[in-house]
Amino acid sequence: MTRKPFKWSVAMDHTILILGAIFMVGPVLLVFLTSSYDDIEIAKTGLQFGWGDKFVQNWNNALNETSGFTGTINGWVMLKNSFILGIGFALGKIVISMMAAYAIVYFRFRFAVPAFWVIFTTLLLPLEVRILPSYEITQQMGLVNTYTGLIIPLIASATGTFFFRQFFRSIPEELVEAARIDGAGPVKFFIDIIVPLSRTMIAAIFIIMFVYGWNQYLWPTLITTEEGLFTLVRGIKQIMFSFTDGNTIPEFGVAMALAILAMLPPVLIVIFFQSWFVKGLVDSDK
């Protein structure tokens, strides 16, 4: 039996991968370990590299202890609000993007191409640039402190429109002609043919937009002042804000637990749907 020669290139590849994994996972592991320590210990010595004795207490406080001025917000409520924001954000962007891309690709109106490029250039306008007019309009419509105001102003997506446009353009023209011969109108063609063909792309866009919506911080901070609508990211900020009054020690352990909790749903969604994610972006089954 002959032994395979040792390959230094393979060892180097694995070393780089391991170092990269440690670099990415290390901060998360530190936050997780720190969530098991007392707030005073964290305030004195910072992030912890060991395992403390306050893990159960900190996580119980993070999930079940009510806080805030009204005493009605806890981790479960913030988790629910984050789910509503993430799912509403993703579904809204998918619906709007598919309809926009469908109109651009299949409706031969005169200014379809300029309209697409106008939409595309909005990629250069981050939320921070248009946040004041968006807030002004939302406030005038009476949508402050509502889930509608939290979600609707953010659902227009140039990125989603671009991806769906490129996907729709790859659908064979023969399929479109066959649908026309069978008498399928625009709505029937969209629902019965375009949507089923786009399911992998929809899954990929959903994952991207869910994570993006889940991590939204600036817009929820502006549009929600009622504590019952706080998201997890907003709640972490609220806990750390108590540091500024100088009289109390922030609940560092609870904040660390909430930070880990805020990371779990996006990570689990990416892990469970990674095959759909990759397939939707680089392949199609049409």
Side-chain angles (χ1 to χ4, degrees):
M1 181 177 178
T2 58
R3 299 180 59 183
K4 293 182 178 179
F6 183 81
K7 294 183 178 179
W8 286 101
S9 61
V10 175
M12 183 62 69
D13 292 343
H14 283 81
T15 302
I16 293 173
L17 286 174
I18 292 171
L19 291 176
I22 293 173
F23 181 76
M24 297 296 291
V25 177
V28 179
L29 181 61
L30 274 179
V31 172
F32 182 71
L33 293 174
T34 306
S35 70
S36 65
Y37 278 83
D38 183 71
D39 297 332
I40 298 176
E41 186 68 23
I42 300 172
K44 286 181 179 176
T45 57
L47 293 173
Q48 305 295 319
F49 292 87
W51 185 257
D53 58 353
K54 299 292 183 182
F55 178 79
V56 176
Q57 180 181 334
N58 286 337
W59 277 83
N60 180 62
N61 292 342
L63 290 172
N64 300 313
E65 186 184 50
T66 56
S67 60
F69 295 106
T70 61
T72 58
I73 186 77
N74 59 28
W76 292 113
V77 175
M78 290 188 287
L79 188 65
K80 180 197 70 175
N81 293 336
S82 291
F83 265 112
I84 292 174
L85 174 60
I87 293 175
F89 185 85
L91 293 180
K93 279 185 175 291
I94 288 171
V95 171
I96 295 296
S97 300
M98 288 190 73
M99 294 175 67
Y102 183 62
I104 290 171
V105 174
Y106 291 105
F107 289 80
R108 310 292 184 186
F109 59 93
R110 188 174 181 181
F111 300 106
V113 175
F116 168 72
W117 286 109
V118 169
I119 295 172
F120 190 77
T121 53
T122 60
L123 282 172
L124 305 176
L125 298 175
L127 176 63
E128 290 78 4
V129 174
R130 53 186 171 86
I131 197 161
L132 287 180
S134 298
Y135 178 79
E136 185 71 19
I137 294 172
T138 305
Q139 186 184 38
Q140 290 175 1
M141 295 177 68
L143 298 178
V144 175
N145 286 319
T146 63
Y147 288 121
T148 306
L150 196 62
I151 296 170
I152 296 297
L154 303 179
I155 62 175
S157 172
T159 305
T161 304
F162 172 75
F163 277 113
F164 280 116
R165 173 185 178 267
Q166 298 305 109
F167 180 77
F168 293 164
R169 284 165 62 92
S170 68
I171 294 176
E173 189 66 28
E174 292 80 4
L175 187 62
V176 181
E177 292 298 329
R180 287 173 180 164
I181 293 173
D182 289 341
V187 176
K188 185 175 179 58
F189 178 70
F190 179 77
I191 295 175
D192 292 347
I193 297 178
I194 294 295
V195 173
L197 282 177
S198 308
R199 58 183 183 275
T200 53
M201 177 62 71
I202 291 173
I205 298 296
F206 178 83
I207 293 171
I208 295 173
M209 297 305 173
F210 177 82
V211 174
Y212 185 55
W214 182 276
N215 291 325
Q216 281 293 317
Y217 168 72
L218 183 57
W219 182 250
T221 301
L222 277 180
I223 210 68
T224 57
T225 54
E226 292 183 3
E227 293 177 341
L229 292 171
F230 282 4
T231 61
L232 276 171
V233 178
R234 178 89 159 83
I236 295 170
K237 179 258 180 187
Q238 197 68 17
I239 289 174
M240 303 306 292
F241 186 70
S242 63
F243 183 73
T244 58
D245 62 15
N247 297 320
T248 58
I249 297 177
E251 296 179 292
F252 288 117
V254 173
M256 298 296 173
L258 287 176
I260 294 296
L261 185 65
M263 282 186 275
L264 284 178
V267 170
L268 292 176
I269 284 182
V270 171
I271 290 174
F272 287 133
F273 297 102
Q274 60 177 326
S275 61
W276 285 66
F277 178 73
V278 174
K279 190 174 183 180
L281 291 182
V282 303
D283 196 8
S284 66
D285 58 355
K286 60 186 182 292

